Amino acid sequence: MMSLERTYQDYGHPLWRRWLVNRESAIIVLLIAVLAYASIAVPKFATPATLTYLLLDVATILMIALAMTPIMITGDIDLSVGSMVGLSSVVFGVLFQAGWSIPVAIIAALAVGALGGALNGLLVTRIGLPALAVTIGTMALFRGIAVGLLGTTAVTKFPKEWTSLAKAKIPGTPIPMVMILFVVLLIAFALMLHFSSFGRGVYAIGRSKDAAAFYGVNVARTRLILFIISGVIAALGGIYYTLRYGSARGDNATGLELQVIAAVVLGGVSVFGGRGALHGVIAGVLLIGALSSALRLANVTADVINIITGVLLVVSVVASSLIDWVQARRTKRLNRTSSTPQPATVG
Amino acid sequence: MTTTLEEPREATPSRGPRRGPAAALLRLLKSRETGVALVLILIVAITTLKNPAFLVSGDGFRDLLVTPSILLVVVLGQAVVIITRNVDLSVGSVLGLTAYFVGTLFVAFPTIPVPLMFLIGCAFGAALGFLNGALVAFGRVPAMVITLGTLYAFRGINVWWTGSNRINASDLPSGFLRLGTQQVLGIPVLTIIALVALAIVAWYMHNTRGGREFYAIGSDPAAAELYGLDKTKRVLAAFVFSGMMAGLAGVLFAARYGTINSQAGDGFELEAVGAAVIGGVAITGGTGTVIGAALGAFLLVTINRALPVLGIPDFWQRAVVGALILGAIVLDRVLAKREHRRLIEKRDR
């Protein structure tokens, strides 16, 4: 019993300690600390309007981060999401301009997202290419088609009821309507990832593809489905982005993929796969969003936010890697001292 | 016992790699580098037929060689990093920061000799690369995450430092700016600098023990470590080199364009990775050559310049580049699979 406890130190601690001392909790605590400090130190931060704009600004990233999380847990990555936001925005705009009704244009743009995601997924699973290389290619391809279709022009003049819906608040609260959509998605993703056999398969693939396959997980199908979902969600983000800013442009959301990945990694998802959870990711997105909005209100220029994002990302991953290393060393030392006097207790 | 000994002896001649000039020529013809070079020549030829000024006019020829040079230098570093099974996403930010640093130094001390400025730029880039490498090698964190972080951080520092300022051509010494247009025997100086760097790195990667160790670490990190190679040292070296090349590219950028604002080199990381991948450097490490990567850089830039001449609006450039990257990696994979099958057949025969 003793040595077992020491080998699997994660499980050796009581439940409350495991819940409090982990990567996700650390980010949530940091988020609360930032919110608390900003509310005191930054004038006008603790107002309903700040919350509204903060949520409106991060809504696209929040949605896409939901889909990026399971992909990164399987050890893949999707760099094409920012370009897919641009492409779906353009497709949506062009079809609207051609006289399609908004709902039909939305469905068509979502279908483009599914197709793009399927292209990524098929190249990764059928041809066996690394996701990083594939999505660097489709990142250029999707953005290129988007820019090619519209050039430097933009489609504007979307119907007022749709653009104001994108910015509307839930009556009586400072919370934007789009958060309802987000919460529905969040519940769906949480059920999929944390409460279904499909989700257990996602984690298993991230730990070991071979072991997952032996265990009966359909590795190729799971990865393909995740890429298609990612494409659809990115397209949804693109439609929201278009309506929110009232403009469909080829260069919409350039560089968004890096913000999403930074937030997901900050939220505790391992780039090696196999570890991470949605609540950490959401805290990661909100942390970067809250920092940006607090700094902007404090009249710190936008560039400093970039420095902070970068440093936060590097420090958080290096710190967690160092903690792992120290723990592994401690475990090894404990095992060495304990295994000699009582080897029989292992089983 | 005797039969088992004889069998391999009989098979040896057909199993070993073929030698001799004919086989070497065949290998060269079948190589990725030749393929990319042929596509490049084809594009230049077709474009020139359509509009002779693309190649024949003095400016056309110079631009054809100068424009890819900056990317080429960045790709050299990127290729070495990718060969070790890592990636350096911060090169664009390092380029921008170095270009602005060099420009600021010139404004403050206009008398600094130009060659010294090249050394300073390389050293500055190498220092930034060292930071990346140390975090990757000692922090045991994937290079993608670290360099994504430093991409933000370096660019942020750049924007913070520069603000809405910018360095103008009039701030830089004319001797330095002339480098951007000067030619020796008809070949632009910037291109010569890039090609000399390419030759040195290509020789080093192909012929020296250190160069082969990069490949060994990239193709199987665990085996390389078991064999006794110092992985930490090599990975660190690759990142320092990549930073140094991005720094050099920053100096070249300053010389070529004269104007440096806070966005110099923005998005270069993806062009650099794309060029390396097109040139046959697999993102999974261990394969490819810097010559292939350099050809990839030439191809990428030349296609971008050729499209408008061929009547395809510039807006479609990125789509073509994306299709090219996808085509290249799919081709690589198909060829690797065929080679694998062929080797298995050979073994079973």
Side-chain angles (χ1 to χ4, degrees), chain A residues 9-345:
Chain A
Q9 16 90 23
D10 259 6
Y11 300 98
H13 297 302
L15 189 65
W16 62 268
R17 194 174 153 180
R18 269 189 278 137
W19 274 12
L20 284 180
V21 186
N22 63 32
R23 186 57 194 282
E24 284 77 19
S25 313
I27 290 295
I28 292 172
V29 168
L30 196 57
L31 172 64
I32 293 171
V34 165
L35 289 176
Y37 180 76
S39 306
I40 298 165
V42 181
K44 288 192 207 148
F45 183 80
T47 56
T50 309
L51 180 64
T52 310
Y53 279 101
L54 171 62
L55 291 178
L56 280 174
D57 285 344
V58 298
T60 316
I61 296 180
L62 270 178
M63 283 191 253
I64 297 174
L66 286 181
M68 185 71 84
T69 303
I71 287 194
M72 290 185 69
I73 289 174
T74 62
D76 288 328
I77 195 161
D78 187 351
L79 291 177
S80 71
V81 286
S83 297
M84 182 47 84
V85 169
L87 179 58
S88 77
S89 169
V90 166
V91 168
F92 177 59
V94 166
L95 292 179
F96 167 71
Q97 208 174 27
W100 294 35
S101 74
I102 294 270
V104 184
I106 287 178
I107 291 168
L110 292 178
V112 168
L115 275 180
L119 174 66
N120 281 332
L122 287 175
L123 286 173
V124 169
T125 56
R126 293 278 172 271
I127 318 261
L129 294 165
L132 182 65
V134 167
T135 55
I136 281 181
T138 52
M139 175 180 170
L141 182 70
F142 297 161
R143 180 67 69 190
I145 298 173
V147 176
L149 284 174
L150 268 188
T152 49
T153 60
V155 177
T156 51
K157 298 202 182 87
F158 291 99
K160 192 88 179 161
E161 63 265 28
W162 284 91
T163 49
S164 52
L165 181 67
K167 279 175 283 195
K169 287 176 271 190
I170 300 172
T173 66
I175 296 167
M177 287 283 236
V178 65
M179 282 299 121
I180 298 177
L181 174 64
F182 169 71
V183 169
V184 171
L185 287 175
L186 172 62
I187 292 169
F189 272 94
L191 288 177
M192 177 189 90
L193 192 59
H194 297 310
F195 299 97
S196 79
S197 59
F198 182 86
R200 299 320 302 166
V202 168
Y203 283 92
I205 292 170
R207 292 275 171 181
S208 160
K209 289 191 175 54
D210 291 338
F214 275 122
Y215 187 67
V217 177
N218 191 334
V219 176
R221 201 186 64 189
T222 305
R223 293 168 82 197
L224 176 61
I225 290 173
L226 292 180
F227 273 106
I228 295 175
I229 291 176
S230 171
V232 174
I233 296 289
L236 187 66
I239 294 160
Y240 170 71
Y241 194 101
T242 312
L243 291 173
R244 153 97 163 97
Y245 296 102
S247 153
R249 296 173 51 88
D251 60 357
N252 266 353
T254 302
L256 186 88
E257 59 283 341
L258 296 185
Q259 294 178 33
V260 172
I261 292 165
V264 170
V265 171
L266 191 61
V269 175
S270 162
V271 188
F272 296 118
R275 121 154 268 301
L278 284 174
H279 59 286
V281 169
I282 293 163
V285 178
L286 291 178
L287 177 61
I288 294 179
L291 269 177
S292 316
S293 114
L295 289 171
R296 219 176 306 135
L297 282 172
N299 282 326
V300 178
T301 41
D303 354 307
V304 180
I305 298 160
N306 272 348
I307 306 181
I308 293 176
T309 308
V311 170
L312 210 59
L313 184 60
V314 169
V315 168
S316 70
V317 287
V318 171
S320 76
S321 158
L322 283 182
I323 290 169
D324 285 351
W325 183 72
V326 169
Q327 276 182 346
R329 261 180 69 117
R330 207 179 50 190
T331 312
K332 220 191 228 165
R333 210 172 43 232
L334 282 174
N335 280 348
R336 211 178 298 133
T337 48
S338 66
S339 59
T340 15
Q342 33 174 215
T345 50

